[in-house]
Amino acid sequence: MIVLSMITRDSHKLGDIFTRVLESTLQVPYDSIILVDDSGTEDTRKIVREFTNAHNKELIIASSSDIRSLRPGYRFERPTRAVARQVAIDLFMQNFGNEGLMFVDDDAVLNPGWWEWVDKHAVLYDGKVGEVWGINWDADPFRKTFLESVNIDYVEYLTQKFQVRGGTHDTLYRRKAINGVVIPWELHVYEDAWLHHWVVCKGWESVINPVGVTHYSPFRTDIKAERRQLELAIQAAFKYGIAEYDPSIIKQILGLLRPILGTPLFAVVSVRTYGFAKGFSYALKRQYLKLWFRWQVLRNTIKYGRVLDICVVLHSLEQGASAQAH
């Protein structure tokens, strides 16, 4: 049996998508849900509570602030995805003996056959497997269309992205594989990458489930919010070794041209997908953000040097925590 977990913040605003996410999880053999909710109202909790009551599931509700009692001494300055994820893991470890903890994002609907694939391939019977991740198929056709227009394989792209930055859209972790993990509180963007690299760096195998989810990621056009997310990503790269770009300065310099030269094609695909008004504006904003991000990465690479190896960072922090405990 699996324990299911979701971290949420005002997920009720997703409407029917959130309901479909919950219903899609019924294919997974679980009796309990750990909900870590940092919403401003009770609406999200009410939806999940009604769902668990209707399907005879146990529900444990917590919030990021519960980290203080679950893990005394954990550095916690504000609620982040990292803190919420840590609360879920600690609740699982301290209250359940189950062998698997599965995270599902509030906007990721499990495709029919997700668990059937895991069962058919006897994935969990292989003691070397520590993580099973289902491909996050986009509900929005834009990314697939654009990648195909530049001859990049869509499936290979999604898989490679996961190997670098992880993902908890629909990820199942073996208990032993995440035992002892401590996610730095400030990893609001890359807490999922931290989990993935923890598992891999510990020597566990990661399995890709091709059935995956349909990911209803929100359409973002807020430049200020997006820049803030990218700033957090850069901080994560240079402090923790989680980087989604080539460390070579020469390649980074040449890479500055890509958002510029790629704007016409990006705009064409955007307009075809979303219409002229929405698509053209979206294209300009996305390409600007890509250019800004690449420039910031180059500046930081020149200033701080090469990005650290994340396995080395993980090992160092783990040793430090162990020494502090003793």
Side-chain angles (χ1 to χ4, degrees):
M1 294 294 291
I2 303 302
V3 173
L4 192 77
S5 183
M6 301 182 74
I7 63 172
T8 55
R9 184 191 293 269
D10 298 325
S11 298
H12 64 280
K13 294 181 180 179
L14 291 168
D16 179 60
I17 292 174
F18 186 48
T19 302
R20 289 169 58 194
V21 170
L22 291 169
E23 291 174 348
S24 74
T25 67
L26 292 174
Q27 62 181 289
V28 179
Y30 70 93
D31 285 333
S32 305
I33 295 180
I34 297 173
L35 177 70
V36 184
D37 180 55
D38 290 321
S39 301
T41 69
E42 286 290 315
D43 294 338
T44 298
R45 298 184 180 198
K46 180 181 178 182
I47 292 172
V48 179
R49 192 176 289 114
E50 290 175 350
F51 171 80
T52 53
N53 287 340
H55 296 283
N56 195 31
K57 306 290 187 183
E58 177 188 21
L59 176 62
I60 294 179
I61 299 178
S63 65
S64 291
S65 61
D66 289 311
I67 194 70
R68 295 189 178 97
S69 59
L70 289 166
R71 187 172 288 273
Y74 179 86
R75 186 185 173 196
F76 169 48
E77 296 186 10
R78 61 180 173 83
T80 63
R81 291 175 60 87
V83 179
R85 199 77 66 187
Q86 188 70 54
V87 166
I89 292 171
D90 288 350
L91 283 172
F92 170 70
M93 290 294 185
Q94 295 177 24
N95 294 277
F96 297 92
N98 302 59
E99 283 303 307
L101 173 65
M102 181 172 179
F103 284 111
V104 177
D105 280 1
D106 60 0
D107 59 355
V109 177
L110 293 176
N111 291 324
W114 198 102
W115 186 262
E116 183 181 358
W117 186 91
V118 171
D119 192 40
K120 179 181 178 180
H121 291 81
V123 172
L124 298 182
Y125 289 99
D126 185 344
K128 299 187 295 294
V129 174
E131 171 188 64
V132 182
W133 172 77
I135 294 177
N136 57 313
W137 304 104
D138 296 302
D140 188 313
F142 175 80
R143 179 158 60 176
K144 183 174 185 292
T145 302
F146 179 75
L147 290 173
E148 289 177 347
S149 70
V150 291
N151 296 317
I152 295 177
D153 184 88
Y154 177 56
V155 177
E156 185 177 342
Y157 174 86
L158 293 177
T159 303
Q160 288 179 347
K161 273 290 184 182
F162 170 71
Q163 300 300 353
V164 175
R165 63 103 55 238
T168 49
H169 319 90
D170 56 326
T171 311
L172 172 62
Y173 294 97
R174 188 182 296 274
R175 182 186 194 89
K176 291 181 180 178
I178 56 173
N179 183 39
V181 66
V182 180
I183 310 172
W185 76 273
E186 58 194 317
L187 288 179
H188 182 63
V189 177
Y190 283 135
E191 97 290 347
D192 47 1
W194 188 264
L195 274 176
H196 169 66
H197 288 291
W198 171 276
V199 172
V200 174
C201 292
K202 289 287 185 177
W204 296 91
E205 291 184 5
S206 180
V207 171
I208 306 297
N209 182 340
V211 178
V213 294
T214 300
H215 192 198
Y216 293 86
S217 182
F219 185 92
R220 297 184 176 92
T221 57
D222 186 336
I223 289 183
K224 184 177 180 181
E226 288 286 290
R227 279 183 52 161
R228 179 54 185 155
Q229 293 283 0
L230 293 175
E231 287 172 350
L232 292 173
I234 293 171
Q235 291 173 16
F238 287 93
K239 187 171 183 178
Y240 297 108
I242 305 169
E244 291 190 71
Y245 50 81
D246 196 297
S248 167
I249 291 181
I250 294 177
K251 289 184 178 181
Q252 288 180 30
I253 293 173
L254 294 175
L256 292 172
L257 297 174
R258 292 181 61 183
I260 299 172
L261 298 177
T263 296
L265 178 59
F266 198 91
V268 168
V269 177
S270 296
V271 169
R272 286 177 178 174
T273 305
Y274 305 120
F276 182 79
K278 184 178 180 180
F280 190 69
S281 174
Y282 173 74
L284 292 181
K285 289 177 180 178
R286 296 308 304 175
Q287 295 304 91
Y288 158 73
L289 285 169
K290 288 179 183 179
L291 180 60
W292 179 85
F293 177 73
R294 289 172 183 271
W295 171 243
Q296 294 301 318
V297 166
L298 176 60
R299 288 182 59 207
N300 279 271
T301 301
I302 293 171
K303 182 177 180 180
Y304 298 111
R306 293 180 63 87
V307 172
L308 300 172
D309 183 288
I310 187 171
C311 289
V312 174
V313 176
L314 282 164
H315 182 66
S316 176
L317 291 179
E318 187 180 15
Q319 282 189 322
S322 178
Q324 188 176 21
H326 292 86

